[in-house]
C-alpha cells in the first residue's frame, strides 16, 4: 500500500520546486487572467437580459485602460526593486541568500498578480475592440474588473509593507533561519531520509554507480529508489551525502545483492541517476547543513574589517544555537525506517557545530564579545539531552577557547572569556590561559 504513495511524493516534491520559480507563477496568473474573461462571459449568459444591460461597456473600458496603463509601470518598478535587492544582499551579506530572495513568496505572488492583471486587461481590451465582448454583456466583465482592481490594491499594500524589510539583514537572517529549521525538522522527522542509518563503512562487495556529472548532490528521491531495490532484491548505499561535491565518474552509490545481469545493472544505474538530482550549486532543500553554513557566512562577512559588525555575528550565533537545540540522534529512532533497503549516513553533531560556528570563531577570534556569546551558546548546548551533541559542544568549546585565548593580547579579555565556561571545562580553560601567558 505504501508503494502507491511513493511516486506521488516525488511528484509533489518536484511540483513544489517548480512552484517556487517566478516564471511558473507569472505564467499561471497570466493564464488565469485569460480564463477569468471566458468564465465571466459564461456567467453573463446565465443572467437575465435586463440585468446584462445595467452596466455600459464604457464603464468597464475605463477600468481596463487604468489597469493596462498602471500595471506595466508597477511591474517594471517591482522588478527593479527585486534586482537591486539581489545585488545588495549578495554584496553585503552572502550570495547564498540570493536563492531565498529569488524564491520569496510575497515578491513572486505580487509580480504574478501585476502581470496577470495586465494580461487580463490587455486581453479584455482586444476582445472589446473586435466586438467579441459587446456593450450588451458588460455587467459581469465590469464586476470582474472591479475584483481585479481590489486584488491589485491588496497586493500593492502587501508589497509596500514587505518592502520595509525586504533585503534587510534581520529579515534575511530570519529567512535563512526559518528555512534551515524547516529542513532540519523535516530531516529529523524522517531520519536519514527514511533510510537505514549507515554508521560504519559500506560493504566492499557489490557494484558501484558513478556520478553522471561534476556538481553538488541537491536532492535525493528515496521512494522510487526503494521501490526498485525491493523489486530487484538489492541494498543501496549512498556513499555521498546531500550537499557533497562529487566529480564525474566518481563512486557515489554502491549496490549489493544485484544479480550478474548487465541489463538490470544498467536499469538500476539509470534509475539512481534520475533520482539523485545534481546541480552546480547547493540548495537548502534536504540540506540543513547548507543553511547553517550560510548563516555562518553572514556572520563572517559582518566580522570583516570593512564592515566590523559584531552584533550581527552575535545574532547569527543565537539563531544557530536555536536550530541546533532541536538536534536528535538519527540512529536512535524507535520505529523501523520506511525504506530499509536504502542506507544513508546520519547527521553528525560535530559537523553541524563546525558548520555553524567554526568560521565565526576563526574570523572573530580577537573580539571578546563575539567569543563570549559563542562560548555561552556552546555551554548551553552542553545541557542538551543528546550525549553526542553535548560532547561535540564541549570539544568545540575547548578548541574555540584555545584559539580565542591565543588571539587576544589583553589579559582582562582572556580572563573574561575563561569565566564564561566556569567549571564546565575545568582544567582545560586554565591550561589554555597558562600556555598563552608563557
Amino acid at each position: 500500500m505504501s508503494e502507491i504513495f511513493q511516486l506521488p511524493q516525488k511528484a509533489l516534491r518536484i511540483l513544489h520546486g517548480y512552484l517556487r520559480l517566478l516564471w511558473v507563477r507569472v505564467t499561471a496568473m497570466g493564464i488565469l487572467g485569460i480564463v477569468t474573461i471566458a468564465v465571466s462571459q459564461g456567467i453573463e449568459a446565465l443572467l437575465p437580459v435586463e440585468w446584462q444591460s445595467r452596466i455600459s461597456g464604457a464603464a468597464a473600458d475605463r477600468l481596463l485602460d487604468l489597469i493596462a496603463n498602471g500595471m506595466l509601470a508597477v511591474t517594471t518598478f517591482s522588478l527593479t526593486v527585486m534586482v537591486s535587492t539581489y545585488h545588495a544582499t549578495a554584496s553585503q551579506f552572502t550570495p547564498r541568500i540570493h536563492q531565498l530572495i529569488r524564491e520569496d513568496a510575497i515578491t513572486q505572488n505580487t509580480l504574478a498578480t501585476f502581470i496577470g492583471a495586465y494580461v487580463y486587461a490587455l486581453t479584455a481590451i482586444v476582445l472589446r475592440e473586435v466586438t467579441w465582448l459587446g456593450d450588451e454583456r458588460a455587467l459581469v466583465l465590469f464586476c470582474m474588473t472591479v475584483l481585479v482592481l481590489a486584488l491589485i490594491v491588496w497586493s500593492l499594500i502587501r508589497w509596500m509593507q514587505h518592502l520595509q524589510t525586504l533585503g534587510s539583514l534581520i529579515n534575511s537572517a530570519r529567512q535563512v533561519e526559518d528555512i534551515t529549521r524547516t529542513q532540519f525538522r523535516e530531516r529529523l522527522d524522517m531520519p536519514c531520509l527514511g533510510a537505514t542509518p549507515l554508521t560504519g563503512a559500506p560493504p566492499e562487495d557489490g557494484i558501484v554507480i558513478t556520478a553522471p556529472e561534476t556538481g553538488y548532490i541537491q536532492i535525493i528521491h528515496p521512494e522510487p529508489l526503494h521501490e526498485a531495490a525491493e523489486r530487484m532484491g538489492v541494498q543501496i548505499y549512498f556513499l555521498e551525502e546531500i550537499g557533497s561535491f562529487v566529480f564525474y565518474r566518481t563512486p557515489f552509490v554502491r549496490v549489493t545483492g544485484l544479480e550478474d545481469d548487465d541489463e538490470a545493472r544498467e536499469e538500476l544505474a539509470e534509475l539512481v541517476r534520475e533520482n539523485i538530482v545534481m546541480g552546480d550549486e547547493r540548495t537548502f532543500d534536504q540540506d540543513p547543513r547548507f543553511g547553517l553554513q550560510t548563516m555562518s557566512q553572514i556572520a563572517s562577512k559582518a566580522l570583516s574589517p570593512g564592515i566590523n559588525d559584531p552584533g550581527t555575528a552575535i545574532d547569527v550565533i543565537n539563531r544557530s544555537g536555536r536550530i541546533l537545540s532541536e538536534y536528535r540522534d538519527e540512529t536512535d529512532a524507535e520505529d523501523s525506517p520506511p525504506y530499509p533497503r536504502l542506507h544513508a549516513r546520519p547527521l553528525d553533531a560535530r559537523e553541524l557545530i563546525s558548520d555553524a560556528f567554526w568560521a565565526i570563531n576563526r574570523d572573530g577570534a580577537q573580539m571578546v564579545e563575539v567569543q563570549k556569546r559563542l562560548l555561552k551558546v556552546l555551554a548551553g548546548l552542553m545541557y542538551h539531552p543528546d550525549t553526542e551533541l553535548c560532547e561535540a559542544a564541549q570539544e568545540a568549546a575547548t578548541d574555540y577557547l584555545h584559539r580565542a585565548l591565543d588571539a587576544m593580547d589583553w589579559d582582562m579579555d582572556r580572563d573574561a572569556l575563561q569565566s564564561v565556561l566556569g567549571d564546565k571545562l575545568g582544567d582545560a580553560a586554565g591550561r589554555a590561559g597558562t600556555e598563552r601567558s608563557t
Side-chain angles (χ1 to χ4, degrees):
M1 184 66 180
S2 61
E3 296 179 4
I4 299 177
F5 299 97
Q6 290 176 356
L7 291 181
Q9 288 177 359
K10 177 183 176 181
L12 288 174
R13 195 178 295 119
I14 295 175
L15 178 62
H16 179 67
Y18 274 109
L19 289 177
R20 290 182 297 181
L21 300 176
L22 177 60
W23 70 267
V24 173
R25 299 198 185 197
V26 169
T27 302
M29 288 298 291
I31 295 174
L32 181 61
I34 298 175
V35 171
T36 300
I37 297 176
V39 171
S40 68
Q41 294 307 292
I43 297 175
E44 187 85 39
L46 301 177
L47 297 178
V49 177
E50 59 273 13
W51 287 19
Q52 297 178 8
S53 58
R54 288 188 176 183
I55 298 294
S56 65
D61 290 338
R62 286 192 293 270
L63 297 182
L64 292 171
D65 290 337
L66 179 64
I67 294 175
N69 293 330
M71 286 304 96
L72 194 58
V74 172
T75 301
T76 303
F77 163 76
S78 300
L79 286 171
T80 302
V81 171
M82 185 176 65
V83 173
S84 300
T85 303
Y86 288 170
H87 291 296
T89 54
S91 61
Q92 295 179 11
F93 312 139
T94 170
R96 261 55 65 185
I97 298 182
H98 176 267
Q99 294 184 32
L100 297 181
I101 302 296
R102 183 180 59 200
E103 297 174 358
D104 183 70
I106 296 179
T107 302
Q108 290 190 355
N109 290 336
T110 301
L111 289 172
T113 300
F114 292 163
I115 295 179
Y118 178 74
V119 172
Y120 166 83
L122 202 61
T123 304
I125 291 173
V126 171
L127 294 178
R128 287 279 296 162
E129 291 295 329
V130 299
T131 68
W132 193 79
L133 299 178
D135 291 340
E136 68 281 356
R137 301 177 63 179
L139 175 61
V140 178
L141 178 64
F142 177 84
C143 294
M144 285 290 187
T145 305
V146 171
L147 291 177
V148 171
L149 278 172
L151 178 61
I152 292 171
V153 172
W154 179 80
S155 298
L156 280 172
I157 295 173
R158 191 183 185 197
W159 176 234
M160 292 300 107
Q161 183 178 8
H162 188 57
L163 286 179
Q164 296 178 10
T165 58
L166 181 64
S168 66
L169 177 59
I170 297 299
N171 185 66
S172 299
R174 185 180 294 116
Q175 282 185 293
V176 179
E177 180 188 8
D178 291 342
I179 188 64
T180 304
R181 178 183 284 113
T182 298
Q183 297 302 323
F184 198 52
R185 289 174 176 173
E186 289 181 0
R187 173 63 185 255
L188 296 179
D189 290 340
M190 184 72 72
C192 299
L193 302 176
T196 302
L198 179 60
T199 54
E204 298 182 357
D205 59 337
I207 66 169
V208 169
I209 299 177
T210 59
E213 59 180 302
T214 299
Y216 291 100
I217 297 178
Q218 296 178 335
I219 297 176
I220 295 178
H221 300 293
E223 303 88 7
L225 290 177
H226 185 260
E227 189 274 333
E230 284 192 328
R231 175 166 47 86
M232 297 181 177
V234 301
Q235 302 286 331
I236 298 178
Y237 295 82
F238 299 116
L239 305 181
E240 300 289 347
E241 304 176 22
I242 293 177
S244 299
F245 188 82
V246 297
F247 288 87
Y248 173 61
R249 293 188 61 81
T250 57
F252 74 146
V253 169
R254 183 178 292 276
V255 180
T256 61
L258 186 63
E259 298 180 359
D260 190 11
D261 185 348
D262 293 339
E263 184 177 348
R265 289 185 179 186
E266 186 63 29
E267 178 187 354
L268 184 59
E270 183 178 356
L271 188 66
V272 167
R273 290 166 180 153
E274 287 178 354
N275 290 281
I276 298 181
V277 181
M278 298 183 62
D280 61 347
E281 62 179 359
R282 293 181 72 171
T283 64
F284 293 93
D285 293 333
Q286 296 185 343
D287 194 359
R289 290 187 60 187
F290 181 55
L292 290 172
Q293 291 175 8
T294 300
M295 287 196 293
S296 179
Q297 291 169 10
I298 295 174
S300 294
K301 191 66 172 288
L303 293 173
S304 63
I307 298 178
N308 192 23
D309 180 18
T312 294
I314 292 173
D315 179 67
V316 168
I317 291 171
N318 292 334
R319 294 180 186 276
S320 298
R322 281 199 295 266
I323 295 172
L324 291 174
S325 64
E326 301 183 12
Y327 173 82
R328 298 192 304 272
D329 188 352
E330 292 185 292
T331 62
D332 288 343
E334 298 179 357
D335 299 331
S336 58
Y339 310 122
R341 290 185 176 271
L342 305 182
H343 302 262
R345 295 196 180 280
L347 293 173
D348 186 271
R350 289 170 176 81
E351 292 180 347
L352 292 173
I353 288 181
S354 178
D355 292 335
F357 302 129
W358 185 85
I360 302 175
N361 175 248
R362 177 199 63 197
D363 297 330
Q366 294 181 328
M367 298 184 181
V368 63
E369 65 271 34
V370 173
Q371 297 306 315
K372 286 178 65 175
R373 173 56 57 183
L374 179 57
L375 292 180
K376 284 182 180 179
V377 169
L378 289 173
L381 292 176
M382 294 179 196
Y383 289 99
H384 196 276
D386 184 82
T387 304
E388 182 183 4
L389 185 66
C390 290
E391 294 176 354
Q394 186 168 1
E395 292 174 5
T398 303
D399 296 339
Y400 296 171
L401 179 61
H402 275 274
R403 170 180 278 172
L405 292 176
D406 188 64
M408 294 179 184
D409 298 325
W410 200 28
D411 290 338
M412 292 188 66
D413 284 346
R414 295 199 298 271
D415 294 341
L417 199 59
Q418 293 183 73
S419 66
V420 172
L421 294 174
D423 297 332
K424 289 187 179 298
L425 298 182
D427 296 336
R431 287 197 303 270
T434 302
E435 293 171 1
R436 173 58 183 167
S437 299
T438 56

